[in-house]
Amino acid sequence: MEEKKTGFQTQAEPHPSELVEGGSINQDVSIKVLRDAIPSYCFRPSLLWSMFYLIRDLVYSAICLGGLYYLTQTELMRHSSLAYYITVNLYGFCQGVVWTGLWIIAHDCGHSAFSTSGVLNDTVGFILHSGLLAPYFSWKSTHRRHHIYANHIEKDLNYVPPSRHEYAAKIGAAVEMLDEVGQDAPLVLFLRIILQQAIGWNWYILTNITCPPSSVVKQGMSAWRHSHFDPWGALFRESEVFSIILSDVGCLATFVALYHLYQYLGSFEALFWVYVVPWCWVNHWIVMITYLHHTHPSLPKYTAESWTFIRGATATMDRDFGIIGTHFMHHISSDHVTHHLFSRIPHYYTPIASKAIVPLLGKHYHGRGQFRYHNLEIAFRDCQWVEGNLEKDVKFGLRKGDGDTKANARDEALWYRAGVSPAPEYKMRG
């Protein structure tokens, strides 16, 4: 699929439903029905609005940096360690939120939702993502495939859970004993969540963890050839090599710039507070956003037989995060279902599109969750592996529940089950 794509000039890419089976939900609600319900202007980026939000976020970032500089020059900062550490940590958090907004604008660029110009999209996206040490074209490629195959148990690239047999092998338990497996102790659960949120994004970019081997472009390669920085690795087509190299060069240029910033600031401590801390916050927010959108006990996964694009795209969950989610993070958390259905819609139009299509989704709209630590606990505790469940299929409307336990494979979903956390993944499973 899309064998000749280079990573550039992707504004003319077809909608995923033109590449795979689009399907329908609630008997007659198809992608076309949903598209027709959305005002047509939502599908055309406004360069004026896109530039406004880009400039606004850059101004926010400059205000944070200027505020940090001003406050650290005061007598209070010079004589009070407590005031100093409160200030630099507050800066790190605020700047991290702002930079996450810039990261999301770059993400819009990768979806050709920033402007109608492919060159402008890639220029803005490349600069923003490279500045945050995210390989723009590399992630743009794998993220495109995630959007095509969202929640496909064999072809999705993000947060794909193991089956009963795979999970049993991971925790060293007999398959038939999984129903008796307990849960993580609160401290263990806390430490696993911290580990995921602290290094999950970086380790994913390096090794493509949480992805099944059947979803990569080049299958059968070593587990260590699944890096987003490997132009000739398992994740990318030969036609994409140049764009992947360019992504690597962009991140390398940022490292060089950081070295010069270190020399200018005169200490690693200053660089740590100015760049590293907010950068870590960005990585945390990206992991938390993506994990919680795709992981909840009420969200189904689908097999190759039952998956269609519209089923997979709607098996995500919108989550409310107050003004941080709507203002600073550009609705990525509050309108994620719409984003999966129509990723070309710019962030400033997604609330309008959501209002138009959510009433048509029926049970395939899984409600609005929250965005808190407690929700991470639920996801870690109750979403360790998946298997079929007749009762949930019936309740969800996939099967009729007429007493016949033999269902068409097209009408069966996979549902999350609880359990203990396996050992942390350090490479893509294979």
Side-chain angles (χ1 to χ4, degrees), residues 73-136:
Q73 302 306 306
T74 62
E75 289 297 320
L76 177 62
M77 294 297 109
R78 293 173 179 172
H79 296 94
S80 172
S81 297
L82 177 61
Y84 172 79
Y85 285 112
I86 289 176
T87 299
V88 291
N89 275 285
L90 183 60
Y91 159 81
F93 173 81
C94 294
Q95 189 73 287
V97 169
V98 172
W99 285 0
T100 302
L102 290 168
W103 197 103
I104 291 166
I105 289 176
H107 157 265
D108 263 17
C109 291
H111 283 297
S112 300
F114 184 82
S115 78
T116 57
S117 167
V119 173
L120 182 58
N121 288 331
D122 286 341
T123 300
V124 173
F126 175 72
I127 293 172
L128 292 178
H129 265 177
S130 297
L132 295 170
L133 295 176
Y136 172 73

Side-chain angles (χ1 to χ4, degrees), residues 125-138 229 242-258 275:
F126 175 72
I127 293 172
L128 292 178
H129 265 177
S130 297
L132 295 170
L133 295 176
Y136 172 73
F137 291 104
S138 309
F229 295 103
F242 180 71
S243 65
I244 308 309
I245 293 174
L246 188 58
S247 298
D248 294 350
V249 171
C251 291
L252 181 61
T254 297
F255 276 116
V256 172
L258 288 173
Y275 182 88

